[in-house]
Amino acid sequence: MKSVKLIFRLFYHIFSLTFLRQSLDALSEFIFENVAERRKMKVGINSSVSSSSRFFYGENIFIGSRTNINRQCMLWAGKNAKITIGDDCLTGPRVTIIVSQYDVKGRDSVRSYPQKEEDIVIGDDVWMGANCIILSGVHIGNGAIIAAGAVVVKDVEPYSVVAGVPAKKIKER
């Protein structure tokens, strides 16, 4: 008898209004941040983009041919700034690329400062390791490698390997 009550209680919670509302919120977020934006992106031939990745301003995201966007990546372009990724690039899971940041110059509330957007350009044959972050205005040269967990805040020379927070050149390929 206890197991029957437990099963009924479980069904009650699964089909409760809260569960339904949370499910609809998650579905609408997925459609808005993935499906709708993915349709606006320009993706080259033989490229793959994971269904668990998220995109903002898809019309300003350009992905070259034979490039792989791995699981749970976030590409955040802006109204006035683009993300361009070249051919033959690879991302690890959870790579984040963001074109905007607050232009903070004092002690006022962060939200009181204007957002600054700058294009991000990633060359051909670039490998971006898991959990790396590439910030506004960065240009990454052809053949570069970004180590897992690195935070890239300035340009990366071609065929350089960078690591750390902030990312620094540790060697050449």
Side-chain angles (χ1 to χ4, degrees):
M1 189 65 174
K2 282 186 178 182
S3 61
V4 172
K5 284 184 180 180
L6 183 64
I7 290 171
F8 278 116
R9 216 185 267 156
L10 179 64
F11 277 112
Y12 173 78
H13 288 294
I14 288 175
F15 294 107
S16 71
L17 190 57
T18 303
F19 176 79
L20 182 60
R21 189 176 306 132
Q22 289 172 342
S23 298
L24 289 174
D25 286 347
L27 180 61
S28 65
E29 181 178 302
F30 174 78
I31 290 170
F32 177 72
E33 294 179 3
N34 185 306
V35 177
E37 293 301 314
R38 171 68 173 87
R39 297 184 85 197
K40 299 175 193 174
M41 293 169 35
K42 285 138 190 95
V43 179
I45 60 169
N46 296 323
S47 289
S48 63
V49 178
S50 172
S51 63
S52 64
S53 291
R54 298 289 181 258
F55 313 98
F56 298 89
Y57 295 100
E59 64 274 13
N60 285 331
I61 298 174
F62 305 90
I63 298 172
S65 298
R66 299 170 307 281
T67 290
N68 176 40
I69 305 300
N70 211 321
R71 292 181 181 99
Q72 298 176 344
C73 290
M74 182 170 67
L75 280 65
W76 194 317
K79 286 182 186 177
N80 304 308
K82 298 177 178 75
I83 296 172
T84 304
I85 302 174
D87 298 334
D88 302 303
C89 293
L90 297 171
T91 68
R94 293 174 302 283
V95 167
T96 301
I97 303 172
I98 304 175
V99 301
S100 65
Q101 61 186 351
Y102 287 101
D103 195 16
V104 177
K105 294 182 178 167
R107 293 190 178 195
D108 294 334
S109 169
V110 172
R111 287 180 174 235
S112 69
Y113 293 99
Q115 275 195 326
K116 177 174 79 170
E117 292 183 347
E118 293 181 79
D119 292 350
I120 294 174
V121 179
I122 299 168
D124 298 333
D125 189 32
V126 172
W127 177 19
M128 294 161 272
N131 296 305
C132 76
I133 300 171
I134 300 169
L135 296 177
S136 181
V138 168
H139 291 244
I140 298 176
N142 293 341
I145 296 175
I146 313 301
V151 178
V152 182
V153 297
K154 60 184 182 180
D155 292 353
V156 176
E157 297 174 11
Y159 299 97
S160 296
V161 178
V162 298
V165 180
K168 293 184 177 146
K169 183 177 177 178
I170 57 172
K171 66 180 184 176
E172 289 201 19
R173 245 178 97 180

